[in-house]
Amino acid sequence: MYKKIAKEIKKYNTIIIARHIGPDPDALGSSIGLKELIVNNFPKKKVYVVGSPAARFRYLGNIDKQIDIDTKKALLIVTDTPDIKRIDGAIPNNFAKVIKIDHHPFVEKYADIELIDDKASSASQLIIEFAKKNHYKLNKTIASKLYLGVVADTNRFLYEYTTWKTLNLVSWLIKKTDLDFTNLYENLYNRSLKEIIFSGYISLNMKVTESGLAYIKLTDDIIKEYEVDASTAGNLIENFNNIDQIKVVAFCSQDKDYIKCSIRSRGPIINEIASRYNGGGHIYASGARPKNFEETDNMLNELDKICEKYK
Ligand code: AMP
């Protein structure tokens, strides 16, 4: 499969790379890292990364603007995205050929070639494996993006699906490029004081049910009062995913027309419930977008029930 993808890349002069909406460091690291990898090996190809920029993760590289190409002659590669509706900035049907490289559980087929490994820690890990298998030339900049993608999705090699293969590939990447990886963490883990104070608000105000569901519903007013945004709680959720009494954590923030929820679990499978509330994701790390707090309550009830069952 990795060789087949390399063959297609060789064929096309124009390549667009997309990833999911609301990108995280793995979505950005895998897509921008792949772009730079292709350019590094085929300097004559025109390669663009599309999607909305994410100011918070600017250190992972830039998104291309105003691309004027004939998509019917171009190759589209989508990383870290299991379904069409979550692709940011590209419509698969408009392209000559489409490739998916993803580590989410399968949702739907939208590409001609689908490389899916839902046991891989991250999409960035798949790109490292792709580079290694095809003997692509790497450099420190490419390596740093792919490394941060893996580190972010595994929460520093903590989560399940961090395997010998993850460590093997990352170790290979570091050796190959002489990557100064310890100096990369600052961007990923530095927090503003405002976020830490907001985290304090969450700790003091989240509800914990008897079955082990921790949740908080954050209104616009609270978000404004703490001078944060609708994504902040989700960015802090990993800090709440290793607490004794808690099996599932759900942070739900009002975000214009819907409620943006991040959900994490240390046992119960949550992505099936998330998918019923305009969401989805991995079995232990999901997101959902209920329409309002009433729908959010229904989702929280379902999450509470699976915690009870899990006990
Ligand atoms: P987050 O809590 O936003 O970091 O998302 C955790 C995981 O769930 C990631 O793999 C996301 O791609 C996925 N995810 C988040 N929101 C949604 C959504 N609305 N629909 C489908 N998957 C989602």
Side-chain angles (χ1 to χ4, degrees):
M1 188 70 97
Y2 288 102
K3 296 262 178 223
K4 206 169 157 190
I5 293 174
K7 240 184 186 172
E8 294 299 330
I9 289 175
K10 234 179 182 175
K11 263 194 234 163
Y12 287 87
N13 289 325
T14 308
I15 301 169
I16 298 285
I17 303 177
R19 36 73 189 169
H20 63 76
I21 49 174
D24 48 29
D26 184 36
L28 292 164
S30 60
S31 55
I32 299 173
L34 178 60
K35 169 191 166 168
E36 292 178 5
L37 184 68
I38 297 173
V39 172
N40 197 41
N41 287 272
F42 306 97
K44 287 193 183 138
K45 289 192 191 293
K46 290 195 176 91
V47 190
Y48 305 95
V49 170
V50 295
S52 318
R56 182 187 170 83
F57 304 122
R58 206 175 292 125
Y59 58 87
L60 284 167
N62 294 325
I63 305 300
D64 295 299
K65 284 177 216 131
Q66 292 187 340
I67 303 153
D68 188 17
I69 58 152
D70 180 1
T71 56
K72 284 283 173 221
K73 289 187 182 146
L75 170 68
L76 172 68
I77 307 178
V78 185
T79 68
D80 203 29
T81 315
D83 50 349
I84 289 189
K85 73 173 191 315
R86 299 260 301 153
I87 301 175
D88 190 355
I91 299 165
N93 273 345
N94 292 350
F95 285 81
K97 191 123 227 180
V98 183
I99 295 172
K100 178 204 273 185
I101 302 178
D102 189 27
H103 76 124
H104 287 88
F106 177 80
V107 177
E108 68 181 353
K109 181 169 161 59
Y110 62 75
D112 304 289
I113 300 174
E114 300 216 327
L115 169 61
I116 302 168
D117 180 357
D118 64 4
K119 299 283 183 289
S121 71
S122 50
S124 298
Q125 176 181 320
L126 297 176
I127 305 296
I128 302 171
E129 191 167 8
F130 168 75
K132 185 170 186 243
K133 289 222 162 114
N134 286 298
H135 308 285
Y136 274 22
K137 278 183 289 172
L138 279 152
N139 62 33
K140 274 195 176 62
T141 318
I142 301 166
S144 66
K145 288 162 194 187
L146 298 174
Y147 181 76
L148 286 177
V150 178
V151 169
D153 251 32
T154 59
N155 195 13
R156 284 171 268 187
F157 307 108
L158 188 71
Y159 290 153
E160 218 194 1
Y161 301 139
T162 305
T163 59
W164 66 268
K165 200 171 179 182
T166 315
L167 298 176
N168 223 354
L169 285 166
V170 158
S171 156
W172 172 83
L173 182 79
I174 292 169
K175 187 155 185 253
K176 187 99 190 151
T177 59
D178 193 21
L179 185 66
D180 184 5
F181 63 98
T182 53
N183 268 328
L184 298 175
Y185 295 123
E186 198 171 315
N187 274 325
L188 210 52
Y189 294 109
N190 256 16
R191 296 268 175 258
S192 70
L193 187 56
K194 277 179 194 161
E195 278 180 82
I196 297 304
I197 293 170
F198 188 54
S199 177
Y201 172 84
I202 295 175
S203 320
L204 292 172
N205 290 282
M206 70 184 182
K207 305 269 184 290
V208 181
T209 68
E210 284 198 355
S211 349
L213 168 69
Y215 68 91
I216 189 158
K217 292 183 278 180
L218 297 154
T219 59
D220 239 355
D221 290 347
I222 287 291
I223 292 169
K224 278 199 188 110
E225 187 184 326
Y226 281 83
E227 297 177 48
V228 290
D229 61 46
S231 302
T232 311
N235 292 332
L236 294 165
I237 198 167
E238 310 296 350
N239 301 342
F240 293 78
N241 197 20
N242 51 3
I243 301 170
D244 250 1
Q245 290 83 347
I246 298 171
K247 284 283 167 262
V248 172
V249 195
F251 290 168
C252 305
S253 306
Q254 202 171 357
D255 188 13
K256 295 177 200 106
D257 302 334
Y258 59 84
I259 312 297
K260 186 177 166 79
C261 301
S262 277
I263 314 164
R264 299 292 183 273
S265 166
R266 284 191 300 126
I269 292 182
I270 51 178
N271 59 345
E272 287 158 16
I273 294 177
S275 69
R276 288 200 281 278
Y277 295 88
N278 198 20
H282 304 280
I283 54 175
Y284 302 133
S286 299
R289 305 282 180 271
K291 281 194 208 83
N292 46 44
F293 279 126
E294 209 182 325
E295 261 196 19
T296 307
D297 284 339
N298 295 339
M299 184 187 78
L300 293 171
N301 266 332
E302 288 200 45
L303 289 171
D304 194 38
K305 279 196 190 122
I306 53 153
C307 286
E308 183 62 38
K309 228 175 169 182
Y310 185 79
K311 265 205 321 196

